[in-house]
Amino acid sequence: MREQRTALLGSLDPRTAKEYETIRRAKGGVGIATLTSGRCSACNVSLPVNVQQRVAAAKVPPVKCPSCGRFLLSPNA
């Protein structure tokens, strides 16, 4: 699993990888959350529609939750 994680981090641009590592360390090892029914799965905050749309578009750089600061992923991505 660590090998997969290392490979995935290597595929990111260095700035995004560094930001992810910073978030992960600050948030107890969890730097990514999914968008589930319009809510962040980590902090359970209901997200504005514009944030939901940006997450669904899956563009780079990743969208961060305005409440907890984790990167958000669409479960369909």
Side-chain angles (χ1 to χ4, degrees):
M1 200 162 185
R2 287 181 191 234
E3 291 171 2
Q4 279 183 315
R5 183 179 174 281
T6 303
L8 287 172
L9 275 175
S11 68
L12 294 175
D13 70 280
R15 181 175 175 251
T16 302
K18 184 178 178 182
E19 190 173 5
Y20 166 74
E21 285 298 330
T22 302
I23 294 167
R24 192 179 67 77
R25 280 192 300 271
K27 300 296 182 180
V30 181
I32 297 176
T34 57
L35 178 67
T36 308
S37 299
R39 295 181 170 274
C40 171
S41 65
C43 65
N44 203 34
V45 168
S46 181
L47 300 169
V49 173
N50 68 328
V51 172
Q52 294 178 42
Q53 290 171 337
R54 289 186 2 235
V55 172
K59 294 185 179 180
V60 175
V63 178
K64 292 196 302 188
C65 174
S67 177
C68 69
R70 290 176 173 93
F71 284 143
L72 291 169
L73 293 178
S74 174
N76 301 328

Short mmCIF file of all heavy atoms in Angstrom, two decimals:
data_model
loop_
_atom_site.label_atom_id
_atom_site.label_comp_id
_atom_site.label_asym_id
_atom_site.label_seq_id
_atom_site.Cartn_x
_atom_site.Cartn_y
_atom_site.Cartn_z
N MET A 1 0.83 -1.18 0.00
CA MET A 1 0.00 0.00 0.00
C MET A 1 0.89 1.26 0.00
O MET A 1 0.54 2.24 -0.64
CB MET A 1 -0.90 -0.01 1.22
CG MET A 1 -2.08 0.85 1.12
SD MET A 1 -3.26 0.31 2.37
CE MET A 1 -4.60 1.33 1.99
N ARG A 2 2.00 1.22 0.71
CA ARG A 2 2.91 2.36 0.73
C ARG A 2 3.50 2.60 -0.65
O ARG A 2 3.73 3.74 -1.04
CB ARG A 2 4.02 2.17 1.75
CG ARG A 2 3.53 2.30 3.16
CD ARG A 2 4.66 2.13 4.15
NE ARG A 2 4.11 2.01 5.48
CZ ARG A 2 4.48 2.78 6.49
NH1 ARG A 2 5.40 3.69 6.31
NH2 ARG A 2 3.94 2.62 7.66
N GLU A 3 3.75 1.52 -1.39
CA GLU A 3 4.29 1.66 -2.74
C GLU A 3 3.28 2.36 -3.65
O GLU A 3 3.65 3.22 -4.45
CB GLU A 3 4.65 0.29 -3.31
CG GLU A 3 5.83 -0.35 -2.62
CD GLU A 3 6.05 -1.79 -3.06
OE1 GLU A 3 5.30 -2.30 -3.92
OE2 GLU A 3 6.97 -2.41 -2.51
N GLN A 4 2.01 2.00 -3.52
CA GLN A 4 0.96 2.66 -4.30
C GLN A 4 0.88 4.15 -3.95
O GLN A 4 0.76 5.00 -4.83
CB GLN A 4 -0.41 2.03 -4.02
CG GLN A 4 -0.67 0.77 -4.77
CD GLN A 4 -2.09 0.28 -4.48
OE1 GLN A 4 -2.53 0.27 -3.34
NE2 GLN A 4 -2.79 -0.11 -5.52
N ARG A 5 0.95 4.44 -2.66
CA ARG A 5 0.88 5.83 -2.21
C ARG A 5 2.05 6.64 -2.77
O ARG A 5 1.86 7.75 -3.27
CB ARG A 5 0.88 5.87 -0.68
CG ARG A 5 0.74 7.24 -0.11
CD ARG A 5 0.74 7.16 1.43
NE ARG A 5 0.74 8.47 1.99
CZ ARG A 5 1.82 9.26 2.10
NH1 ARG A 5 2.97 8.83 1.69
NH2 ARG A 5 1.72 10.45 2.62
N THR A 6 3.23 6.06 -2.72
CA THR A 6 4.41 6.74 -3.24
C THR A 6 4.29 6.99 -4.74
O THR A 6 4.62 8.06 -5.24
CB THR A 6 5.69 5.92 -2.94
OG1 THR A 6 5.77 5.72 -1.53
CG2 THR A 6 6.93 6.61 -3.43
N ALA A 7 3.77 6.00 -5.46
CA ALA A 7 3.59 6.15 -6.91
C ALA A 7 2.58 7.24 -7.22
O ALA A 7 2.78 8.06 -8.13
CB ALA A 7 3.16 4.83 -7.52
N LEU A 8 1.49 7.28 -6.48
CA LEU A 8 0.47 8.29 -6.70
C LEU A 8 0.99 9.69 -6.38
O LEU A 8 0.74 10.64 -7.11
CB LEU A 8 -0.78 8.00 -5.87
CG LEU A 8 -1.63 6.84 -6.34
CD1 LEU A 8 -2.72 6.52 -5.33
CD2 LEU A 8 -2.24 7.14 -7.69
N LEU A 9 1.74 9.81 -5.29
CA LEU A 9 2.31 11.12 -4.94
C LEU A 9 3.30 11.57 -6.00
O LEU A 9 3.39 12.75 -6.31
CB LEU A 9 2.99 11.07 -3.58
CG LEU A 9 2.09 11.29 -2.38
CD1 LEU A 9 2.87 11.09 -1.09
CD2 LEU A 9 1.45 12.64 -2.40
N GLY A 10 4.03 10.61 -6.59
CA GLY A 10 4.98 10.95 -7.64
C GLY A 10 4.31 11.46 -8.90
O GLY A 10 4.92 12.20 -9.68
N SER A 11 3.05 11.09 -9.11
CA SER A 11 2.34 11.53 -10.31
C SER A 11 1.76 12.94 -10.17
O SER A 11 1.32 13.52 -11.14
CB SER A 11 1.24 10.53 -10.67
OG SER A 11 0.20 10.56 -9.70
N LEU A 12 1.74 13.47 -8.95
CA LEU A 12 1.23 14.82 -8.71
C LEU A 12 2.32 15.85 -8.94
O LEU A 12 3.51 15.55 -8.85
CB LEU A 12 0.76 14.95 -7.25
CG LEU A 12 -0.43 14.13 -6.81
CD1 LEU A 12 -0.65 14.31 -5.32
CD2 LEU A 12 -1.68 14.52 -7.58
N ASP A 13 1.87 17.08 -9.22
CA ASP A 13 2.87 18.14 -9.31
C ASP A 13 3.43 18.37 -7.90
O ASP A 13 2.74 18.13 -6.91
CB ASP A 13 2.28 19.42 -9.92
CG ASP A 13 1.29 20.10 -9.01
OD1 ASP A 13 0.13 19.67 -8.95
OD2 ASP A 13 1.70 21.08 -8.34
N PRO A 14 4.68 18.79 -7.78
CA PRO A 14 5.33 18.91 -6.47
C PRO A 14 4.61 19.82 -5.48
O PRO A 14 4.55 19.52 -4.29
CB PRO A 14 6.71 19.47 -6.80
CG PRO A 14 6.95 19.11 -8.23
CD PRO A 14 5.60 19.08 -8.88
N ARG A 15 4.01 20.89 -5.97
CA ARG A 15 3.30 21.81 -5.07
C ARG A 15 2.08 21.13 -4.44
O ARG A 15 1.83 21.26 -3.24
CB ARG A 15 2.88 23.06 -5.84
CG ARG A 15 2.16 24.07 -4.97
CD ARG A 15 1.87 25.36 -5.76
NE ARG A 15 1.09 26.24 -4.94
CZ ARG A 15 -0.19 26.52 -5.16
NH1 ARG A 15 -0.82 26.01 -6.18
NH2 ARG A 15 -0.85 27.33 -4.36
N THR A 16 1.31 20.42 -5.24
CA THR A 16 0.13 19.72 -4.74
C THR A 16 0.53 18.62 -3.78
O THR A 16 -0.10 18.43 -2.74
CB THR A 16 -0.71 19.16 -5.90
OG1 THR A 16 -1.07 20.23 -6.77
CG2 THR A 16 -1.96 18.48 -5.40
N ALA A 17 1.60 17.87 -4.11
CA ALA A 17 2.07 16.80 -3.23
C ALA A 17 2.51 17.35 -1.88
O ALA A 17 2.19 16.78 -0.82
CB ALA A 17 3.20 16.04 -3.90
N LYS A 18 3.22 18.47 -1.88
CA LYS A 18 3.68 19.09 -0.64
C LYS A 18 2.50 19.58 0.19
O LYS A 18 2.45 19.39 1.40
CB LYS A 18 4.62 20.24 -0.95
CG LYS A 18 5.21 20.87 0.29
CD LYS A 18 6.18 21.97 -0.07
CE LYS A 18 6.72 22.62 1.20
NZ LYS A 18 7.63 23.71 0.92
N GLU A 19 1.53 20.19 -0.48
CA GLU A 19 0.34 20.68 0.22
C GLU A 19 -0.45 19.52 0.83
O GLU A 19 -0.93 19.60 1.96
CB GLU A 19 -0.54 21.48 -0.73
CG GLU A 19 -1.66 22.21 -0.04
CD GLU A 19 -2.42 23.15 -0.96
OE1 GLU A 19 -2.16 23.17 -2.18
OE2 GLU A 19 -3.30 23.86 -0.45
N TYR A 20 -0.57 18.42 0.08
CA TYR A 20 -1.26 17.23 0.59
C TYR A 20 -0.57 16.72 1.85
O TYR A 20 -1.22 16.41 2.85
CB TYR A 20 -1.32 16.13 -0.48
CG TYR A 20 -1.70 14.80 0.10
CD1 TYR A 20 -3.00 14.53 0.49
CD2 TYR A 20 -0.74 13.81 0.30
CE1 TYR A 20 -3.35 13.32 1.05
CE2 TYR A 20 -1.07 12.60 0.86
CZ TYR A 20 -2.37 12.35 1.23
OH TYR A 20 -2.70 11.16 1.81
N GLU A 21 0.75 16.61 1.82
CA GLU A 21 1.50 16.11 2.98
C GLU A 21 1.30 17.03 4.19
O GLU A 21 1.16 16.55 5.31
CB GLU A 21 2.99 15.98 2.64
CG GLU A 21 3.30 14.79 1.77
CD GLU A 21 2.97 13.46 2.42
OE1 GLU A 21 3.03 13.33 3.66
OE2 GLU A 21 2.64 12.52 1.67
N THR A 22 1.26 18.32 3.96
CA THR A 22 1.04 19.28 5.05
C THR A 22 -0.35 19.09 5.66
O THR A 22 -0.50 19.05 6.88
CB THR A 22 1.20 20.72 4.54
OG1 THR A 22 2.51 20.87 3.99
CG2 THR A 22 0.98 21.74 5.65
N ILE A 23 -1.35 18.95 4.80
CA ILE A 23 -2.73 18.73 5.27
C ILE A 23 -2.82 17.42 6.03
O ILE A 23 -3.40 17.34 7.11
CB ILE A 23 -3.73 18.74 4.09
CG1 ILE A 23 -3.80 20.12 3.44
CG2 ILE A 23 -5.13 18.31 4.55
CD1 ILE A 23 -4.50 20.13 2.10
N ARG A 24 -2.21 16.39 5.47
CA ARG A 24 -2.27 15.06 6.08
C ARG A 24 -1.66 15.06 7.49
O ARG A 24 -2.22 14.50 8.42
CB ARG A 24 -1.55 14.04 5.19
CG ARG A 24 -1.79 12.61 5.56
CD ARG A 24 -1.07 11.67 4.62
NE ARG A 24 0.38 11.77 4.73
CZ ARG A 24 1.10 11.22 5.72
NH1 ARG A 24 0.49 10.54 6.67
NH2 ARG A 24 2.40 11.36 5.76
N ARG A 25 -0.52 15.69 7.64
CA ARG A 25 0.11 15.76 8.96
C ARG A 25 -0.75 16.54 9.95
O ARG A 25 -0.87 16.18 11.11
CB ARG A 25 1.49 16.39 8.86
CG ARG A 25 2.55 15.43 8.38
CD ARG A 25 3.95 16.00 8.57
NE ARG A 25 4.17 17.25 7.86
CZ ARG A 25 4.61 17.35 6.62
NH1 ARG A 25 4.86 16.27 5.92
NH2 ARG A 25 4.79 18.54 6.06
N ALA A 26 -1.36 17.62 9.49
CA ALA A 26 -2.17 18.47 10.36
C ALA A 26 -3.50 17.81 10.75
O ALA A 26 -4.07 18.14 11.79
CB ALA A 26 -2.44 19.81 9.70
N LYS A 27 -3.99 16.92 9.91
CA LYS A 27 -5.32 16.33 10.12
C LYS A 27 -5.27 14.87 10.57
O LYS A 27 -6.17 14.08 10.28
CB LYS A 27 -6.15 16.44 8.84
CG LYS A 27 -6.38 17.86 8.37
CD LYS A 27 -7.20 18.63 9.37
CE LYS A 27 -7.47 20.04 8.87
NZ LYS A 27 -8.26 20.80 9.81
N GLY A 28 -4.23 14.48 11.25
CA GLY A 28 -4.17 13.13 11.82
C GLY A 28 -4.03 12.03 10.79
O GLY A 28 -4.54 10.93 10.99
N GLY A 29 -3.36 12.31 9.68
CA GLY A 29 -3.10 11.28 8.68
C GLY A 29 -4.12 11.20 7.56
O GLY A 29 -3.96 10.41 6.65
N VAL A 30 -5.16 12.01 7.60
CA VAL A 30 -6.19 11.98 6.57
C VAL A 30 -6.22 13.33 5.86
O VAL A 30 -6.68 14.32 6.41
CB VAL A 30 -7.59 11.66 7.16
CG1 VAL A 30 -8.63 11.60 6.06
CG2 VAL A 30 -7.55 10.36 7.93
N GLY A 31 -5.73 13.36 4.61
CA GLY A 31 -5.66 14.61 3.87
C GLY A 31 -6.69 14.75 2.78
O GLY A 31 -6.78 15.78 2.12
N ILE A 32 -7.49 13.69 2.58
CA ILE A 32 -8.49 13.69 1.50
C ILE A 32 -9.84 13.26 2.06
O ILE A 32 -9.92 12.37 2.90
CB ILE A 32 -8.08 12.74 0.37
CG1 ILE A 32 -6.78 13.22 -0.27
CG2 ILE A 32 -9.17 12.61 -0.68
CD1 ILE A 32 -6.24 12.31 -1.34
N ALA A 33 -10.89 13.89 1.56
CA ALA A 33 -12.26 13.53 1.93
C ALA A 33 -13.09 13.44 0.65
O ALA A 33 -12.74 14.04 -0.36
CB ALA A 33 -12.86 14.56 2.87
N THR A 34 -14.16 12.68 0.70
CA THR A 34 -15.05 12.59 -0.46
C THR A 34 -16.23 13.53 -0.27
O THR A 34 -16.61 13.88 0.85
CB THR A 34 -15.57 11.16 -0.67
OG1 THR A 34 -16.24 10.73 0.51
CG2 THR A 34 -14.45 10.21 -1.01
N LEU A 35 -16.78 13.91 -1.39
CA LEU A 35 -17.99 14.72 -1.41
C LEU A 35 -19.17 13.76 -1.48
O LEU A 35 -19.34 13.06 -2.47
CB LEU A 35 -17.98 15.65 -2.62
CG LEU A 35 -19.19 16.53 -2.81
CD1 LEU A 35 -19.28 17.57 -1.69
CD2 LEU A 35 -19.12 17.22 -4.16
N THR A 36 -19.93 13.68 -0.40
CA THR A 36 -21.03 12.72 -0.32
C THR A 36 -22.33 13.47 -0.02
O THR A 36 -22.43 14.11 1.03
CB THR A 36 -20.76 11.68 0.78
OG1 THR A 36 -19.47 11.11 0.57
CG2 THR A 36 -21.80 10.59 0.77
N SER A 37 -23.27 13.40 -0.93
CA SER A 37 -24.57 14.07 -0.77
C SER A 37 -24.40 15.56 -0.43
O SER A 37 -25.10 16.10 0.41
CB SER A 37 -25.40 13.39 0.31
OG SER A 37 -25.65 12.05 -0.03
N GLY A 38 -23.42 16.20 -1.09
CA GLY A 38 -23.22 17.62 -0.90
C GLY A 38 -22.48 17.99 0.38
O GLY A 38 -22.40 19.15 0.74
N ARG A 39 -21.93 16.98 1.06
CA ARG A 39 -21.22 17.22 2.32
C ARG A 39 -19.81 16.66 2.27
O ARG A 39 -19.55 15.68 1.60
CB ARG A 39 -21.96 16.54 3.48
CG ARG A 39 -23.32 17.12 3.75
CD ARG A 39 -23.98 16.41 4.94
NE ARG A 39 -25.17 17.11 5.34
CZ ARG A 39 -25.19 18.13 6.19
NH1 ARG A 39 -24.08 18.56 6.73
NH2 ARG A 39 -26.30 18.73 6.51
N CYS A 40 -18.93 17.31 3.02
CA CYS A 40 -17.57 16.80 3.18
C CYS A 40 -17.66 15.58 4.09
O CYS A 40 -18.23 15.65 5.18
CB CYS A 40 -16.68 17.87 3.80
SG CYS A 40 -15.05 17.29 4.28
N SER A 41 -17.08 14.46 3.66
CA SER A 41 -17.16 13.23 4.47
C SER A 41 -16.31 13.31 5.73
O SER A 41 -16.51 12.53 6.66
CB SER A 41 -16.75 12.02 3.64
OG SER A 41 -15.38 12.11 3.27
N ALA A 42 -15.37 14.23 5.79
CA ALA A 42 -14.50 14.34 6.97
C ALA A 42 -15.13 15.19 8.07
O ALA A 42 -15.12 14.81 9.23
CB ALA A 42 -13.15 14.91 6.58
N CYS A 43 -15.66 16.35 7.71
CA CYS A 43 -16.19 17.26 8.74
C CYS A 43 -17.71 17.38 8.72
O CYS A 43 -18.29 18.06 9.57
CB CYS A 43 -15.55 18.64 8.61
SG CYS A 43 -15.94 19.52 7.09
N ASN A 44 -18.36 16.77 7.73
CA ASN A 44 -19.81 16.72 7.60
C ASN A 44 -20.46 18.09 7.37
O ASN A 44 -21.63 18.28 7.65
CB ASN A 44 -20.45 16.03 8.82
CG ASN A 44 -21.82 15.48 8.49
OD1 ASN A 44 -22.07 15.04 7.37
ND2 ASN A 44 -22.71 15.49 9.46
N VAL A 45 -19.70 19.04 6.85
CA VAL A 45 -20.25 20.36 6.55
C VAL A 45 -20.89 20.33 5.18
O VAL A 45 -20.34 19.78 4.23
CB VAL A 45 -19.13 21.44 6.61
CG1 VAL A 45 -19.58 22.75 6.02
CG2 VAL A 45 -18.68 21.62 8.04
N SER A 46 -22.07 20.93 5.07
CA SER A 46 -22.75 21.05 3.79
C SER A 46 -22.02 22.10 2.96
O SER A 46 -21.82 23.22 3.41
CB SER A 46 -24.20 21.47 4.02
OG SER A 46 -24.89 21.55 2.79
N LEU A 47 -21.62 21.71 1.75
CA LEU A 47 -20.81 22.58 0.91
C LEU A 47 -21.66 23.35 -0.09
O LEU A 47 -22.65 22.83 -0.61
CB LEU A 47 -19.76 21.75 0.18
CG LEU A 47 -18.81 21.00 1.11
CD1 LEU A 47 -17.98 20.01 0.32
CD2 LEU A 47 -17.92 21.97 1.85
N PRO A 48 -21.27 24.59 -0.40
CA PRO A 48 -22.00 25.38 -1.39
C PRO A 48 -21.98 24.69 -2.76
O PRO A 48 -21.06 23.93 -3.07
CB PRO A 48 -21.22 26.69 -1.44
CG PRO A 48 -20.37 26.73 -0.24
CD PRO A 48 -20.14 25.31 0.17
N VAL A 49 -22.96 24.99 -3.56
CA VAL A 49 -23.09 24.37 -4.88
C VAL A 49 -21.87 24.63 -5.75
O VAL A 49 -21.40 23.73 -6.45
CB VAL A 49 -24.39 24.84 -5.58
CG1 VAL A 49 -24.46 24.34 -7.00
CG2 VAL A 49 -25.60 24.38 -4.80
N ASN A 50 -21.30 25.83 -5.69
CA ASN A 50 -20.14 26.11 -6.54
C ASN A 50 -18.94 25.24 -6.16
O ASN A 50 -18.18 24.82 -7.02
CB ASN A 50 -19.78 27.60 -6.52
CG ASN A 50 -19.26 28.07 -5.18
OD1 ASN A 50 -19.65 27.56 -4.14
ND2 ASN A 50 -18.39 29.06 -5.21
N VAL A 51 -18.78 24.94 -4.89
CA VAL A 51 -17.70 24.04 -4.46
C VAL A 51 -17.99 22.63 -4.96
O VAL A 51 -17.10 21.94 -5.47
CB VAL A 51 -17.53 24.06 -2.93
CG1 VAL A 51 -16.54 23.00 -2.47
CG2 VAL A 51 -17.09 25.44 -2.45
N GLN A 52 -19.24 22.19 -4.85
CA GLN A 52 -19.62 20.86 -5.33
C GLN A 52 -19.35 20.72 -6.82
O GLN A 52 -18.86 19.68 -7.28
CB GLN A 52 -21.10 20.59 -5.04
CG GLN A 52 -21.43 20.51 -3.56
CD GLN A 52 -22.91 20.30 -3.33
OE1 GLN A 52 -23.55 19.53 -4.03
NE2 GLN A 52 -23.45 20.98 -2.34
N GLN A 53 -19.65 21.76 -7.58
CA GLN A 53 -19.44 21.72 -9.03
C GLN A 53 -17.95 21.66 -9.37
O GLN A 53 -17.54 20.93 -10.27
CB GLN A 53 -20.07 22.94 -9.69
CG GLN A 53 -21.58 22.91 -9.67
CD GLN A 53 -22.21 24.21 -10.12
OE1 GLN A 53 -21.59 25.27 -10.08
NE2 GLN A 53 -23.46 24.13 -10.56
N ARG A 54 -17.12 22.42 -8.63
CA ARG A 54 -15.68 22.38 -8.88
C ARG A 54 -15.10 21.01 -8.55
O ARG A 54 -14.22 20.52 -9.24
CB ARG A 54 -14.98 23.48 -8.08
CG ARG A 54 -15.28 24.85 -8.65
CD ARG A 54 -14.53 26.03 -8.03
NE ARG A 54 -13.57 25.74 -7.01
CZ ARG A 54 -13.57 26.28 -5.78
NH1 ARG A 54 -14.52 27.14 -5.45
NH2 ARG A 54 -12.64 25.99 -4.91
N VAL A 55 -15.60 20.38 -7.49
CA VAL A 55 -15.13 19.04 -7.13
C VAL A 55 -15.54 18.04 -8.22
O VAL A 55 -14.74 17.21 -8.64
CB VAL A 55 -15.70 18.60 -5.76
CG1 VAL A 55 -15.39 17.13 -5.49
CG2 VAL A 55 -15.15 19.47 -4.64
N ALA A 56 -16.76 18.14 -8.69
CA ALA A 56 -17.25 17.23 -9.73
C ALA A 56 -16.46 17.38 -11.03
O ALA A 56 -16.27 16.41 -11.76
CB ALA A 56 -18.73 17.46 -9.99
N ALA A 57 -15.95 18.59 -11.30
CA ALA A 57 -15.18 18.81 -12.52
C ALA A 57 -13.80 18.17 -12.44
O ALA A 57 -13.16 17.95 -13.47
CB ALA A 57 -15.05 20.31 -12.78
N ALA A 58 -13.32 17.87 -11.24
CA ALA A 58 -12.03 17.20 -11.00
C ALA A 58 -10.86 17.89 -11.69
O ALA A 58 -10.03 17.26 -12.32
CB ALA A 58 -12.12 15.74 -11.41
N LYS A 59 -10.82 19.20 -11.56
CA LYS A 59 -9.73 19.96 -12.17
C LYS A 59 -8.54 20.08 -11.20
O LYS A 59 -8.67 19.85 -10.00
CB LYS A 59 -10.21 21.35 -12.56
CG LYS A 59 -11.23 21.30 -13.67
CD LYS A 59 -11.61 22.67 -14.13
CE LYS A 59 -12.63 22.57 -15.26
NZ LYS A 59 -13.03 23.86 -15.74
N VAL A 60 -7.40 20.43 -11.75
CA VAL A 60 -6.20 20.64 -10.95
C VAL A 60 -6.01 22.14 -10.80
O VAL A 60 -6.18 22.87 -11.77
CB VAL A 60 -4.98 20.00 -11.65
CG1 VAL A 60 -3.69 20.30 -10.92
CG2 VAL A 60 -5.20 18.50 -11.78
N PRO A 61 -5.68 22.68 -9.66
CA PRO A 61 -5.39 22.00 -8.40
C PRO A 61 -6.68 21.52 -7.74
O PRO A 61 -7.76 22.04 -8.01
CB PRO A 61 -4.72 23.08 -7.56
CG PRO A 61 -5.27 24.36 -8.08
CD PRO A 61 -5.52 24.12 -9.55
N PRO A 62 -6.55 20.53 -6.86
CA PRO A 62 -7.75 19.98 -6.20
C PRO A 62 -8.44 21.04 -5.34
O PRO A 62 -7.81 21.96 -4.84
CB PRO A 62 -7.19 18.87 -5.31
CG PRO A 62 -5.79 18.65 -5.72
CD PRO A 62 -5.34 19.86 -6.45
N VAL A 63 -9.73 20.87 -5.18
CA VAL A 63 -10.54 21.78 -4.36
C VAL A 63 -10.41 21.35 -2.90
O VAL A 63 -10.43 20.16 -2.58
CB VAL A 63 -12.03 21.71 -4.80
CG1 VAL A 63 -12.89 22.61 -3.93
CG2 VAL A 63 -12.16 22.06 -6.25
N LYS A 64 -10.27 22.33 -2.02
CA LYS A 64 -10.19 22.03 -0.59
C LYS A 64 -11.51 22.40 0.08
O LYS A 64 -12.20 23.34 -0.32
CB LYS A 64 -9.06 22.81 0.06
CG LYS A 64 -7.70 22.35 -0.42
CD LYS A 64 -6.56 22.81 0.45
CE LYS A 64 -6.43 24.26 0.61
NZ LYS A 64 -5.21 24.67 1.30
N CYS A 65 -11.85 21.63 1.10
CA CYS A 65 -13.05 21.91 1.89
C CYS A 65 -12.85 23.24 2.60
O CYS A 65 -11.83 23.44 3.27
CB CYS A 65 -13.28 20.80 2.92
SG CYS A 65 -14.64 21.14 4.05
N PRO A 66 -13.79 24.17 2.47
CA PRO A 66 -13.64 25.46 3.14
C PRO A 66 -13.69 25.36 4.66
O PRO A 66 -13.25 26.26 5.36
CB PRO A 66 -14.80 26.30 2.61
CG PRO A 66 -15.70 25.39 1.89
CD PRO A 66 -14.98 24.10 1.65
N SER A 67 -14.18 24.25 5.19
CA SER A 67 -14.28 24.09 6.63
C SER A 67 -13.06 23.40 7.24
O SER A 67 -12.41 23.94 8.13
CB SER A 67 -15.54 23.29 6.98
OG SER A 67 -15.62 23.06 8.36
N CYS A 68 -12.72 22.20 6.75
CA CYS A 68 -11.64 21.43 7.37
C CYS A 68 -10.32 21.52 6.61
O CYS A 68 -9.27 21.14 7.14
CB CYS A 68 -12.04 19.97 7.55
SG CYS A 68 -12.21 19.01 6.02
N GLY A 69 -10.35 21.99 5.37
CA GLY A 69 -9.12 22.18 4.61
C GLY A 69 -8.59 20.96 3.88
O GLY A 69 -7.54 21.02 3.26
N ARG A 70 -9.30 19.82 3.94
CA ARG A 70 -8.85 18.63 3.24
C ARG A 70 -9.19 18.74 1.75
O ARG A 70 -10.13 19.42 1.37
CB ARG A 70 -9.52 17.39 3.81
CG ARG A 70 -9.04 17.03 5.20
CD ARG A 70 -9.82 15.83 5.74
NE ARG A 70 -9.31 15.36 6.98
CZ ARG A 70 -9.76 15.77 8.19
NH1 ARG A 70 -10.72 16.66 8.26
NH2 ARG A 70 -9.23 15.29 9.29
N PHE A 71 -8.40 18.04 0.92
CA PHE A 71 -8.72 17.96 -0.51
C PHE A 71 -10.01 17.17 -0.65
O PHE A 71 -10.23 16.18 0.03
CB PHE A 71 -7.61 17.25 -1.28
CG PHE A 71 -6.38 18.09 -1.51
CD1 PHE A 71 -5.14 17.50 -1.46
CD2 PHE A 71 -6.44 19.44 -1.81
CE1 PHE A 71 -3.99 18.25 -1.68
CE2 PHE A 71 -5.32 20.19 -2.02
CZ PHE A 71 -4.08 19.59 -1.95
N LEU A 72 -10.87 17.61 -1.56
CA LEU A 72 -12.15 16.95 -1.80
C LEU A 72 -12.11 16.18 -3.12
O LEU A 72 -11.62 16.69 -4.12
CB LEU A 72 -13.27 17.97 -1.86
CG LEU A 72 -13.61 18.65 -0.54
CD1 LEU A 72 -14.55 19.84 -0.76
CD2 LEU A 72 -14.26 17.66 0.42
N LEU A 73 -12.63 14.98 -3.10
CA LEU A 73 -12.75 14.15 -4.29
C LEU A 73 -14.20 13.74 -4.48
O LEU A 73 -14.92 13.49 -3.51
CB LEU A 73 -11.91 12.88 -4.17
CG LEU A 73 -10.41 13.05 -4.14
CD1 LEU A 73 -9.74 11.69 -3.97
CD2 LEU A 73 -9.92 13.71 -5.40
N SER A 74 -14.59 13.66 -5.73
CA SER A 74 -15.92 13.15 -6.05
C SER A 74 -15.85 11.63 -6.00
O SER A 74 -14.91 11.04 -6.53
CB SER A 74 -16.33 13.61 -7.44
OG SER A 74 -17.54 13.02 -7.81
N PRO A 75 -16.81 10.96 -5.37
CA PRO A 75 -16.77 9.49 -5.31
C PRO A 75 -16.86 8.85 -6.70
O PRO A 75 -16.49 7.71 -6.88
CB PRO A 75 -17.95 9.12 -4.44
CG PRO A 75 -18.82 10.31 -4.37
CD PRO A 75 -17.97 11.51 -4.70
N ASN A 76 -17.32 9.62 -7.69
CA ASN A 76 -17.44 9.08 -9.06
C ASN A 76 -16.17 9.28 -9.88
O ASN A 76 -16.11 8.87 -11.02
CB ASN A 76 -18.62 9.76 -9.77
CG ASN A 76 -19.91 9.52 -9.02
OD1 ASN A 76 -20.10 8.49 -8.40
ND2 ASN A 76 -20.79 10.49 -9.07
N ALA A 77 -15.17 9.94 -9.30
CA ALA A 77 -13.93 10.24 -10.04
C ALA A 77 -13.03 9.03 -10.14
O ALA A 77 -13.03 8.13 -9.43
CB ALA A 77 -13.18 11.38 -9.38
#
